[in-house]
Amino acid sequence: MPHHSPLIATIVAGLVVAFLMGALAHRLKVSPIAGYLLAGVLVGPFTPGFVADAALANELAEIGVILLMFGVGLHFSLRDLLSVRNIAVPGAVVQISAATLLGMALGWALGWTLMAGFVFGLALSVASTVVLLRALQTRNLVETERGRIAVGWLIVEDLVMVLALVLLPAVAGIANGAAEGGTSSLVAPLVGTLFKVAGFIALMLLVGRKLIPMALHWVVHTGSRELFRLAVLAIALGVAFGAAYVFDVSFALGAFFAGMILGETQLSRRAAEETLPLRDAFAVLFFVSVGMLFDPAVVIEQPLPLLATVAIIILGKSIAAFGIVKAFGHSGRTAFTVAASLAQIGEFSFILASLGAELNVLPADARDLILAGAIISIFLNPFIFSLVVPRREEDRVVADPQRPEPQMGHIVLVGYGRVGSLIAADMRSRDRSFVVIEDQPDMVRKAQADQMAVLQGDALDSRTLEAAGIRHATKLMIAIPEGFEAGAIFEHARALNPDIRVIARAHSDAEVAYLAKCGVPEVVMGEREIAARMLELATAPQAEVTT
């Protein structure tokens, strides 16, 4: 059989070069996204050496967009979406209008037609799904109010772009004199698209809301983890494809609604964990595919138009978004976060630019400026976000304001999952003083609902351990399922309190060996404890058996 194919070569080249460039970016303390974009440039058609298949890379990247939006939907309820409609809908519409007008002004200055300027401005008005969500997820902002506003804003932008893609051929036909239908040629596609979007949403809320959870619960009862993982992926990809094929809505929008419906069930956390590795891998391929589109010659051939394009994307859109959010009475912090989130363009911009070029309404120079503006804005976005949302705020330790300060000689418990919550409940019943450290917002809310003393933060951060009173604690119990991460937490804790007693959890012999090598004195491996208890019950007389 052949040992080379464009698909395999594209995946291998994309992931391997992205890893190398991402590692280099990490070494230089730069956002890994910059490394992934550079990897795309290296395997793209405008640099010497190996050239990956751009069409295949774009399709692989689309899978990443689907999985990413599905993951966001898992943590985003319909109530969250409706709670920000009053700002997301008018805000997105006004911001799109402002960016489109700025693009039209630049197009007029460059001598383009009115239609070319309109398509160009529209392409600059919509933010990238992947970049926006990556920025919010990196800083744990998705489930905050400002994160919900940004995501709701993104959903409205996606809906507007869906309408734009449907209407553009009719508008272009009128502009080129190929259509004689007048207003009716615009109204019919618009009404049809609205009906399709409404039909998809109604189908998901009325039918999908029952069928999707029912199907997944049936899979859970089979006891097969492999089948559950396959079911989650089938739902995410199947609903996204069906939404695009039947209702002509975007893949991203279909996946978001599938995730949002599934997020209302108790299986949402497990579904998110099962899809996380694939989401990360395909998100990397998205950035690689963007990098492949970049032609460095644009910087030399059109420096001033490119500078103006980037200014519209980063400054024009951001200033408009900032003003809109402030006008609705939100804080400056929220306004800056939303503005920074939208200071880039991505996948919808590429689609719109390609369609405009096919319809002969967008000149080649405009398409090149859109692609170059996209890659530059995506490259700069992590730096802009870090400037607007300072690191001290991103990594802050969030405490329950009602929790008492830890007492001398208390216990620090890391993790409030299935094991950690049982430990916490038992310690509270024994009236022991303890503090829980948890980095997942949903688990923090659960701990707060259970009236536990909890800190939201990363136990790998010494500041989180300090806030939990690690220097004055007698015991540290690490209940998270990641044994290798537990070893790093142990080292940080011992550096702050050399005398603290540490008990850690492990899932495998390799994790037990690693923790022992780190110096963790007491390690509990669940499988061993279960086996020991079952043997104890099996050898005990029937009358002595207790559960």
Side-chain angles (χ1 to χ4, degrees):
M1 62 177 290
H3 297 286
H4 170 79
S5 72
L7 176 61
I8 295 175
T10 300
I11 294 175
V12 172
L15 293 180
V16 171
V17 180
F19 165 71
L20 295 175
M21 294 300 102
L24 178 61
H26 179 77
R27 182 76 174 177
L28 298 175
K29 300 188 182 301
V30 176
S31 171
I33 292 177
Y36 305 152
L37 292 170
L38 179 58
V41 175
L42 293 177
V43 300
F46 303 106
T47 54
F50 174 81
V51 177
D53 190 310
L56 286 175
N58 288 334
E59 292 190 24
L60 293 171
E62 195 69 61
I63 297 176
V65 175
I66 292 171
L67 295 176
L68 194 66
M69 286 300 289
F70 178 74
V72 171
L74 287 172
H75 299 289
F76 210 88
S77 67
L78 183 61
R79 185 183 307 166
D80 292 333
L81 189 59
L82 294 177
S83 68
V84 298
R85 68 185 185 279
N86 291 334
I87 181 174
V89 175
V93 172
V94 173
Q95 176 254 302
I96 288 173
S97 301
T100 302
L101 289 174
L102 290 173
M104 292 175 70
L106 178 57
W108 174 79
L110 295 174
W112 300 341
T113 64
L114 183 65
M115 187 64 189
F118 174 76
V119 176
F120 178 72
L122 199 60
L124 302 185
S125 69
V126 57
S128 165
T129 299
V130 178
V131 178
L132 185 149
L133 294 177
R134 267 298 181 91
L136 295 177
Q137 288 175 339
T138 301
R139 295 157 179 82
N140 294 319
L141 295 176
V142 173
E143 298 183 48
T144 63
E145 181 191 25
R146 46 190 168 149
R148 288 194 294 271
I149 292 173
V151 174
W153 199 301
L154 177 73
I155 297 302
V156 176
E157 285 191 346
D158 280 0
L159 287 172
V160 172
M161 288 303 112
V162 169
L163 292 175
L165 292 173
V166 172
L167 293 175
L168 186 58
V171 176
I174 294 176
N176 293 331
E180 300 177 357
T183 305
S184 62
S185 65
L186 290 177
V187 174
L190 176 61
V191 173
T193 300
L194 290 175
F195 269 111
K196 288 180 180 180
V197 172
F200 167 71
I201 295 176
L203 181 67
M204 292 301 294
L205 295 180
L206 297 178
V207 180
R209 211 169 188 175
K210 295 181 179 179
L211 289 183
I212 291 176
M214 187 186 304
L216 212 54
H217 277 288
W218 177 84
V219 174
V220 168
H221 287 116
T222 65
S224 172
R225 183 173 182 179
E226 178 182 344
L227 198 59
F228 178 85
R229 185 183 298 115
L230 184 60
V232 172
L233 293 174
I235 290 171
L237 298 173
V239 172
F241 181 78
Y245 185 77
V246 178
F247 296 96
D248 288 331
V249 303
S250 67
F251 288 129
L253 192 64
F256 174 80
F257 271 92
M260 189 170 64
I261 288 172
L262 186 55
E264 296 178 356
T265 71
Q266 296 179 345
L267 299 170
S268 60
R269 182 178 177 84
R270 183 178 171 188
E273 292 174 350
E274 294 291 352
T275 57
L276 182 60
L278 275 178
R279 290 207 310 267
D280 287 344
F282 280 102
V284 169
L285 289 176
F286 167 80
F287 292 109
V288 172
S289 71
V290 172
M292 292 174 62
L293 299 172
F294 182 62
D295 183 0
V298 175
V299 178
I300 300 173
E301 296 172 357
Q302 303 185 70
L304 293 180
L306 177 58
L307 185 62
T309 300
V310 173
I312 292 173
I313 297 169
I314 294 179
L315 296 178
K317 287 175 59 180
S318 298
I319 292 173
F322 180 87
I324 294 166
V325 176
K326 287 291 289 180
F328 277 82
H330 290 272
S331 66
R333 184 177 67 171
T334 299
F336 274 121
T337 302
V338 174
S341 299
L342 301 171
Q344 36 76 22
I345 60 174
E347 53 274 11
F348 262 119
S349 304
F350 308 148
I351 297 171
L352 199 60
S354 299
L355 181 59
E358 290 175 8
L359 296 172
N360 296 318
V361 296
L362 192 69
D365 289 347
R367 182 184 58 190
D368 292 340
L369 288 175
I370 291 171
L371 297 178
I375 192 169
I376 292 173
S377 64
I378 291 173
F379 180 85
L380 294 176
N381 193 254
F383 302 102
I384 296 171
F385 222 110
S386 297
L387 182 65
V388 172
V389 186
R391 180 64 59 180
R392 61 180 180 274
E393 180 185 347
E394 298 166 20
D395 294 339
R396 71 191 186 281
V397 176
V398 182
D400 182 348
Q402 298 181 343
R403 77 168 181 86
E405 289 298 318
Q407 302 174 6
M408 297 289 290
H410 65 290
I411 298 172
V412 176
L413 171 63
V414 178
Y416 197 74
R418 290 178 298 176
V419 175
S421 58
L422 293 174
I423 295 173
D426 185 77
M427 287 195 293
R428 188 172 65 175
S429 68
R430 298 171 186 267
D431 201 27
R432 296 295 303 273
S433 175
F434 67 95
V435 174
V436 178
I437 297 176
E438 175 60 61
D439 64 348
Q440 296 297 323
D442 53 343
M443 291 291 101
V444 171
R445 289 194 294 269
K446 184 176 184 298
Q448 290 173 336
D450 294 339
Q451 301 298 311
M452 299 296 179
V454 59
L455 286 167
Q456 180 179 338
D458 188 351
L460 286 169
D461 191 332
S462 298
R463 291 171 296 179
T464 305
L465 295 173
E466 291 268 19
I470 195 70
R471 293 185 186 275
H472 309 295
T474 56
K475 297 184 184 69
L476 171 65
M477 303 183 72
I478 308 175
I480 59 174
E482 293 83 12
F484 295 101
E485 184 176 328
I489 294 173
F490 165 78
E491 293 175 350
H492 284 283
R494 275 291 173 88
L496 297 171
N497 185 349
D499 299 322
I500 193 171
R501 180 185 175 190
V502 180
I503 304 171
R505 172 187 173 192
H507 256 313
S508 65
D509 291 331
E511 290 184 355
V512 172
Y514 172 77
L515 291 171
K517 184 178 179 180
C518 290
V520 180
E522 296 173 271
V523 180
V524 178
M525 181 178 169
E527 288 78 1
R528 291 181 181 176
E529 297 302 318
I530 293 172
R533 179 58 177 158
M534 291 181 70
L535 287 171
E536 180 183 346
L537 292 172
T539 56
Q542 184 67 30
E544 298 180 12
V545 172
T546 59
T547 58

PDB file of all heavy atoms in Angstrom, residues 379-402:
ATOM      1  N   PHE A 379      -2.024  36.961  15.062  1.00  0.00           N
ATOM      2  CA  PHE A 379      -0.704  36.928  15.696  1.00  0.00           C
ATOM      3  C   PHE A 379      -0.637  37.930  16.858  1.00  0.00           C
ATOM      4  O   PHE A 379      -0.089  37.632  17.921  1.00  0.00           O
ATOM      5  CB  PHE A 379       0.365  37.245  14.654  1.00  0.00           C
ATOM      6  CG  PHE A 379       1.770  37.243  15.197  1.00  0.00           C
ATOM      7  CD1 PHE A 379       2.490  36.067  15.289  1.00  0.00           C
ATOM      8  CD2 PHE A 379       2.361  38.414  15.632  1.00  0.00           C
ATOM      9  CE1 PHE A 379       3.784  36.057  15.798  1.00  0.00           C
ATOM     10  CE2 PHE A 379       3.643  38.427  16.146  1.00  0.00           C
ATOM     11  CZ  PHE A 379       4.362  37.236  16.226  1.00  0.00           C
ATOM     12  N   LEU A 380      -1.205  39.108  16.654  1.00  0.00           N
ATOM     13  CA  LEU A 380      -1.112  40.167  17.663  1.00  0.00           C
ATOM     14  C   LEU A 380      -2.137  40.019  18.786  1.00  0.00           C
ATOM     15  O   LEU A 380      -1.946  40.572  19.870  1.00  0.00           O
ATOM     16  CB  LEU A 380      -1.298  41.536  17.003  1.00  0.00           C
ATOM     17  CG  LEU A 380      -0.206  41.981  16.019  1.00  0.00           C
ATOM     18  CD1 LEU A 380      -0.593  43.312  15.386  1.00  0.00           C
ATOM     19  CD2 LEU A 380       1.141  42.096  16.729  1.00  0.00           C
ATOM     20  N   ASN A 381      -3.231  39.275  18.543  1.00  0.00           N
ATOM     21  CA  ASN A 381      -4.326  39.232  19.513  1.00  0.00           C
ATOM     22  C   ASN A 381      -3.916  38.760  20.911  1.00  0.00           C
ATOM     23  O   ASN A 381      -4.346  39.362  21.906  1.00  0.00           O
ATOM     24  CB  ASN A 381      -5.467  38.366  18.976  1.00  0.00           C
ATOM     25  CG  ASN A 381      -6.733  38.534  19.785  1.00  0.00           C
ATOM     26  OD1 ASN A 381      -7.115  37.653  20.552  1.00  0.00           O
ATOM     27  ND2 ASN A 381      -7.395  39.680  19.641  1.00  0.00           N
ATOM     28  N   PRO A 382      -3.097  37.692  21.039  1.00  0.00           N
ATOM     29  CA  PRO A 382      -2.696  37.304  22.401  1.00  0.00           C
ATOM     30  C   PRO A 382      -1.946  38.408  23.142  1.00  0.00           C
ATOM     31  O   PRO A 382      -2.113  38.570  24.356  1.00  0.00           O
ATOM     32  CB  PRO A 382      -1.792  36.078  22.159  1.00  0.00           C
ATOM     33  CG  PRO A 382      -2.210  35.553  20.835  1.00  0.00           C
ATOM     34  CD  PRO A 382      -2.586  36.740  20.033  1.00  0.00           C
ATOM     35  N   PHE A 383      -1.135  39.172  22.428  1.00  0.00           N
ATOM     36  CA  PHE A 383      -0.393  40.261  23.067  1.00  0.00           C
ATOM     37  C   PHE A 383      -1.349  41.392  23.466  1.00  0.00           C
ATOM     38  O   PHE A 383      -1.209  41.988  24.540  1.00  0.00           O
ATOM     39  CB  PHE A 383       0.681  40.787  22.117  1.00  0.00           C
ATOM     40  CG  PHE A 383       1.653  39.738  21.664  1.00  0.00           C
ATOM     41  CD1 PHE A 383       1.541  39.167  20.406  1.00  0.00           C
ATOM     42  CD2 PHE A 383       2.670  39.297  22.507  1.00  0.00           C
ATOM     43  CE1 PHE A 383       2.433  38.186  19.981  1.00  0.00           C
ATOM     44  CE2 PHE A 383       3.559  38.321  22.090  1.00  0.00           C
ATOM     45  CZ  PHE A 383       3.444  37.757  20.837  1.00  0.00           C
ATOM     46  N   ILE A 384      -2.319  41.673  22.598  1.00  0.00           N
ATOM     47  CA  ILE A 384      -3.315  42.698  22.923  1.00  0.00           C
ATOM     48  C   ILE A 384      -4.126  42.272  24.138  1.00  0.00           C
ATOM     49  O   ILE A 384      -4.379  43.064  25.050  1.00  0.00           O
ATOM     50  CB  ILE A 384      -4.245  42.940  21.709  1.00  0.00           C
ATOM     51  CG1 ILE A 384      -3.454  43.506  20.538  1.00  0.00           C
ATOM     52  CG2 ILE A 384      -5.397  43.854  22.074  1.00  0.00           C
ATOM     53  CD1 ILE A 384      -4.243  43.575  19.241  1.00  0.00           C
ATOM     54  N   PHE A 385      -4.506  41.006  24.167  1.00  0.00           N
ATOM     55  CA  PHE A 385      -5.300  40.503  25.283  1.00  0.00           C
ATOM     56  C   PHE A 385      -4.514  40.576  26.588  1.00  0.00           C
ATOM     57  O   PHE A 385      -5.046  40.949  27.635  1.00  0.00           O
ATOM     58  CB  PHE A 385      -5.739  39.057  25.015  1.00  0.00           C
ATOM     59  CG  PHE A 385      -7.162  38.799  25.405  1.00  0.00           C
ATOM     60  CD1 PHE A 385      -8.124  38.589  24.432  1.00  0.00           C
ATOM     61  CD2 PHE A 385      -7.550  38.783  26.726  1.00  0.00           C
ATOM     62  CE1 PHE A 385      -9.442  38.356  24.774  1.00  0.00           C
ATOM     63  CE2 PHE A 385      -8.865  38.548  27.079  1.00  0.00           C
ATOM     64  CZ  PHE A 385      -9.816  38.327  26.104  1.00  0.00           C
ATOM     65  N   SER A 386      -3.235  40.222  26.532  1.00  0.00           N
ATOM     66  CA  SER A 386      -2.406  40.285  27.738  1.00  0.00           C
ATOM     67  C   SER A 386      -2.241  41.715  28.223  1.00  0.00           C
ATOM     68  O   SER A 386      -2.153  41.971  29.429  1.00  0.00           O
ATOM     69  CB  SER A 386      -1.026  39.677  27.459  1.00  0.00           C
ATOM     70  OG  SER A 386      -1.140  38.310  27.135  1.00  0.00           O
ATOM     71  N   LEU A 387      -2.230  42.665  27.293  1.00  0.00           N
ATOM     72  CA  LEU A 387      -2.103  44.070  27.657  1.00  0.00           C
ATOM     73  C   LEU A 387      -3.394  44.599  28.273  1.00  0.00           C
ATOM     74  O   LEU A 387      -3.373  45.337  29.255  1.00  0.00           O
ATOM     75  CB  LEU A 387      -1.743  44.889  26.407  1.00  0.00           C
ATOM     76  CG  LEU A 387      -1.528  46.394  26.610  1.00  0.00           C
ATOM     77  CD1 LEU A 387      -0.297  46.636  27.490  1.00  0.00           C
ATOM     78  CD2 LEU A 387      -1.362  47.097  25.273  1.00  0.00           C
ATOM     79  N   VAL A 388      -4.516  44.197  27.688  1.00  0.00           N
ATOM     80  CA  VAL A 388      -5.810  44.692  28.155  1.00  0.00           C
ATOM     81  C   VAL A 388      -6.279  43.965  29.405  1.00  0.00           C
ATOM     82  O   VAL A 388      -6.855  44.559  30.310  1.00  0.00           O
ATOM     83  CB  VAL A 388      -6.862  44.544  27.022  1.00  0.00           C
ATOM     84  CG1 VAL A 388      -8.247  44.861  27.529  1.00  0.00           C
ATOM     85  CG2 VAL A 388      -6.507  45.461  25.871  1.00  0.00           C
ATOM     86  N   VAL A 389      -6.059  42.636  29.455  1.00  0.00           N
ATOM     87  CA  VAL A 389      -6.422  41.833  30.621  1.00  0.00           C
ATOM     88  C   VAL A 389      -5.126  41.408  31.291  1.00  0.00           C
ATOM     89  O   VAL A 389      -4.546  40.383  30.938  1.00  0.00           O
ATOM     90  CB  VAL A 389      -7.247  40.596  30.220  1.00  0.00           C
ATOM     91  CG1 VAL A 389      -7.737  39.854  31.455  1.00  0.00           C
ATOM     92  CG2 VAL A 389      -8.410  41.003  29.338  1.00  0.00           C
ATOM     93  N   PRO A 390      -4.605  42.180  32.243  1.00  0.00           N
ATOM     94  CA  PRO A 390      -3.291  41.915  32.822  1.00  0.00           C
ATOM     95  C   PRO A 390      -3.196  40.529  33.438  1.00  0.00           C
ATOM     96  O   PRO A 390      -4.190  39.970  33.904  1.00  0.00           O
ATOM     97  CB  PRO A 390      -3.154  43.004  33.899  1.00  0.00           C
ATOM     98  CG  PRO A 390      -4.103  44.072  33.485  1.00  0.00           C
ATOM     99  CD  PRO A 390      -5.240  43.370  32.818  1.00  0.00           C
ATOM    100  N   ARG A 391      -1.977  39.998  33.423  1.00  0.00           N
ATOM    101  CA  ARG A 391      -1.729  38.662  33.954  1.00  0.00           C
ATOM    102  C   ARG A 391      -2.149  38.534  35.409  1.00  0.00           C
ATOM    103  O   ARG A 391      -2.634  37.518  35.866  1.00  0.00           O
ATOM    104  CB  ARG A 391      -0.246  38.316  33.801  1.00  0.00           C
ATOM    105  CG  ARG A 391       0.159  36.954  34.318  1.00  0.00           C
ATOM    106  CD  ARG A 391      -0.490  35.834  33.560  1.00  0.00           C
ATOM    107  NE  ARG A 391      -0.168  35.860  32.147  1.00  0.00           N
ATOM    108  CZ  ARG A 391      -0.624  34.972  31.288  1.00  0.00           C
ATOM    109  NH1 ARG A 391      -1.445  34.021  31.679  1.00  0.00           N
ATOM    110  NH2 ARG A 391      -0.300  35.058  30.009  1.00  0.00           N
ATOM    111  N   ARG A 392      -1.967  39.603  36.172  1.00  0.00           N
ATOM    112  CA  ARG A 392      -2.340  39.532  37.587  1.00  0.00           C
ATOM    113  C   ARG A 392      -3.841  39.299  37.752  1.00  0.00           C
ATOM    114  O   ARG A 392      -4.303  38.763  38.740  1.00  0.00           O
ATOM    115  CB  ARG A 392      -1.935  40.813  38.307  1.00  0.00           C
ATOM    116  CG  ARG A 392      -2.601  42.075  37.783  1.00  0.00           C
ATOM    117  CD  ARG A 392      -2.137  43.295  38.555  1.00  0.00           C
ATOM    118  NE  ARG A 392      -2.750  44.519  38.069  1.00  0.00           N
ATOM    119  CZ  ARG A 392      -2.298  45.241  37.069  1.00  0.00           C
ATOM    120  NH1 ARG A 392      -1.204  44.849  36.432  1.00  0.00           N
ATOM    121  NH2 ARG A 392      -2.901  46.352  36.685  1.00  0.00           N
ATOM    122  N   GLU A 393      -4.635  39.753  36.749  1.00  0.00           N
ATOM    123  CA  GLU A 393      -6.074  39.517  36.815  1.00  0.00           C
ATOM    124  C   GLU A 393      -6.417  38.127  36.311  1.00  0.00           C
ATOM    125  O   GLU A 393      -7.257  37.452  36.880  1.00  0.00           O
ATOM    126  CB  GLU A 393      -6.798  40.566  35.980  1.00  0.00           C
ATOM    127  CG  GLU A 393      -8.306  40.388  35.984  1.00  0.00           C
ATOM    128  CD  GLU A 393      -9.012  41.352  35.066  1.00  0.00           C
ATOM    129  OE1 GLU A 393      -8.378  42.312  34.605  1.00  0.00           O
ATOM    130  OE2 GLU A 393     -10.211  41.134  34.803  1.00  0.00           O
ATOM    131  N   GLU A 394      -5.733  37.682  35.251  1.00  0.00           N
ATOM    132  CA  GLU A 394      -6.009  36.367  34.686  1.00  0.00           C
ATOM    133  C   GLU A 394      -5.770  35.271  35.700  1.00  0.00           C
ATOM    134  O   GLU A 394      -6.535  34.320  35.820  1.00  0.00           O
ATOM    135  CB  GLU A 394      -5.104  36.108  33.480  1.00  0.00           C
ATOM    136  CG  GLU A 394      -5.297  37.073  32.324  1.00  0.00           C
ATOM    137  CD  GLU A 394      -4.167  36.961  31.347  1.00  0.00           C
ATOM    138  OE1 GLU A 394      -3.472  35.926  31.361  1.00  0.00           O
ATOM    139  OE2 GLU A 394      -3.962  37.887  30.557  1.00  0.00           O
ATOM    140  N   ASP A 395      -4.680  35.380  36.422  1.00  0.00           N
ATOM    141  CA  ASP A 395      -4.264  34.304  37.313  1.00  0.00           C
ATOM    142  C   ASP A 395      -4.713  34.526  38.745  1.00  0.00           C
ATOM    143  O   ASP A 395      -4.221  33.877  39.647  1.00  0.00           O
ATOM    144  CB  ASP A 395      -2.724  34.174  37.298  1.00  0.00           C
ATOM    145  CG  ASP A 395      -2.225  33.721  35.945  1.00  0.00           C
ATOM    146  OD1 ASP A 395      -3.013  33.158  35.188  1.00  0.00           O
ATOM    147  OD2 ASP A 395      -1.039  33.955  35.665  1.00  0.00           O
ATOM    148  N   ARG A 396      -5.649  35.445  38.929  1.00  0.00           N
ATOM    149  CA  ARG A 396      -6.020  35.758  40.299  1.00  0.00           C
ATOM    150  C   ARG A 396      -6.638  34.547  40.978  1.00  0.00           C
ATOM    151  O   ARG A 396      -7.245  33.685  40.342  1.00  0.00           O
ATOM    152  CB  ARG A 396      -7.011  36.919  40.326  1.00  0.00           C
ATOM    153  CG  ARG A 396      -8.401  36.551  39.806  1.00  0.00           C
ATOM    154  CD  ARG A 396      -9.233  37.792  39.617  1.00  0.00           C
ATOM    155  NE  ARG A 396     -10.594  37.488  39.251  1.00  0.00           N
ATOM    156  CZ  ARG A 396     -10.983  37.150  38.053  1.00  0.00           C
ATOM    157  NH1 ARG A 396     -10.090  37.021  37.105  1.00  0.00           N
ATOM    158  NH2 ARG A 396     -12.253  36.899  37.791  1.00  0.00           N
ATOM    159  N   VAL A 397      -6.568  34.497  42.297  1.00  0.00           N
ATOM    160  CA  VAL A 397      -7.204  33.458  43.082  1.00  0.00           C
ATOM    161  C   VAL A 397      -8.583  33.966  43.466  1.00  0.00           C
ATOM    162  O   VAL A 397      -8.713  35.032  44.059  1.00  0.00           O
ATOM    163  CB  VAL A 397      -6.381  33.136  44.342  1.00  0.00           C
ATOM    164  CG1 VAL A 397      -7.107  32.123  45.189  1.00  0.00           C
ATOM    165  CG2 VAL A 397      -5.006  32.635  43.950  1.00  0.00           C
ATOM    166  N   VAL A 398      -9.606  33.231  43.110  1.00  0.00           N
ATOM    167  CA  VAL A 398     -10.964  33.642  43.402  1.00  0.00           C
ATOM    168  C   VAL A 398     -11.457  32.879  44.614  1.00  0.00           C
ATOM    169  O   VAL A 398     -11.524  31.653  44.596  1.00  0.00           O
ATOM    170  CB  VAL A 398     -11.895  33.369  42.199  1.00  0.00           C
ATOM    171  CG1 VAL A 398     -13.305  33.838  42.504  1.00  0.00           C
ATOM    172  CG2 VAL A 398     -11.358  34.072  40.959  1.00  0.00           C
ATOM    173  N   ALA A 399     -11.790  33.590  45.653  1.00  0.00           N
ATOM    174  CA  ALA A 399     -12.214  32.946  46.892  1.00  0.00           C
ATOM    175  C   ALA A 399     -13.696  33.166  47.129  1.00  0.00           C
ATOM    176  O   ALA A 399     -14.286  34.131  46.678  1.00  0.00           O
ATOM    177  CB  ALA A 399     -11.425  33.504  48.060  1.00  0.00           C
ATOM    178  N   ASP A 400     -14.297  32.250  47.853  1.00  0.00           N
ATOM    179  CA  ASP A 400     -15.659  32.427  48.309  1.00  0.00           C
ATOM    180  C   ASP A 400     -15.641  33.529  49.355  1.00  0.00           C
ATOM    181  O   ASP A 400     -15.000  33.382  50.404  1.00  0.00           O
ATOM    182  CB  ASP A 400     -16.164  31.106  48.915  1.00  0.00           C
ATOM    183  CG  ASP A 400     -17.608  31.208  49.370  1.00  0.00           C
ATOM    184  OD1 ASP A 400     -18.129  32.338  49.424  1.00  0.00           O
ATOM    185  OD2 ASP A 400     -18.196  30.158  49.675  1.00  0.00           O
ATOM    186  N   PRO A 401     -16.337  34.648  49.127  1.00  0.00           N
ATOM    187  CA  PRO A 401     -16.258  35.751  50.071  1.00  0.00           C
ATOM    188  C   PRO A 401     -16.825  35.418  51.434  1.00  0.00           C
ATOM    189  O   PRO A 401     -16.528  36.111  52.411  1.00  0.00           O
ATOM    190  CB  PRO A 401     -17.095  36.854  49.379  1.00  0.00           C
ATOM    191  CG  PRO A 401     -17.983  36.134  48.429  1.00  0.00           C
ATOM    192  CD  PRO A 401     -17.217  34.939  47.996  1.00  0.00           C
ATOM    193  N   GLN A 402     -17.632  34.342  51.549  1.00  0.00           N
ATOM    194  CA  GLN A 402     -18.218  34.004  52.824  1.00  0.00           C
ATOM    195  C   GLN A 402     -17.393  32.984  53.605  1.00  0.00           C
ATOM    196  O   GLN A 402     -17.728  32.660  54.735  1.00  0.00           O
ATOM    197  CB  GLN A 402     -19.633  33.447  52.607  1.00  0.00           C
ATOM    198  CG  GLN A 402     -20.577  34.465  51.954  1.00  0.00           C
ATOM    199  CD  GLN A 402     -21.962  33.891  51.771  1.00  0.00           C
ATOM    200  OE1 GLN A 402     -22.161  32.684  51.831  1.00  0.00           O
ATOM    201  NE2 GLN A 402     -22.939  34.758  51.547  1.00  0.00           N
TER     202      GLN A 402
END
